[in-house]
Amino acid sequence: KFSAQSVGGMFGIYFSEKALMLSIPVMIKNATTDELVDALKVHLQFTLDHLKRLEDFFCSIGETDIILKYDAMYGSITPKV
């Protein structure tokens, strides 16, 4: 069983990762070198993978409303690269 504090911390991480999904594509679009574009694309993929793991974790402990709460507050985000 996870404490409310642990789940709350994971919730904060989830929100941060979702914010990265918005900002990384903008950084890719504005990157001035191919090397930076490639690095940011790798980072975006790591972010997507991390979000998937967090969502799987929330589902495994019955906290799916965290995902629904985020979507209700901010909408569903799909990165545009």
Side-chain angles (χ1 to χ4, degrees):
K1 181 100 178 151
F2 294 92
S3 70
Q5 186 176 11
S6 296
V7 174
M10 297 291 251
F11 188 42
I13 292 169
Y14 182 74
F15 269 64
S16 297
E17 295 290 339
K18 284 285 203 171
L20 283 172
M21 283 182 55
L22 287 175
S23 60
I24 294 173
V26 172
M27 290 187 277
I28 291 170
K29 183 179 177 184
N30 294 315
T32 56
T33 67
D34 290 340
E35 183 180 21
L36 183 54
V37 168
D38 291 342
L40 288 167
K41 285 181 178 179
V42 168
H43 188 50
L44 180 59
Q45 187 57 54
F46 282 134
T47 301
L48 293 170
D49 293 344
H50 194 209
L51 276 167
K52 174 73 171 112
R53 285 192 305 272
L54 284 166
E55 289 172 352
D56 289 347
F57 167 75
F58 291 137
C59 289
S60 75
I61 63 168
E63 292 287 344
T64 54
D65 20 324
I66 289 174
I67 299 164
L68 298 174
K69 184 185 289 186
Y70 182 92
D71 288 344
M73 290 170 56
Y74 300 103
S76 184
I77 297 172
T78 304
K80 296 175 178 126
V81 180

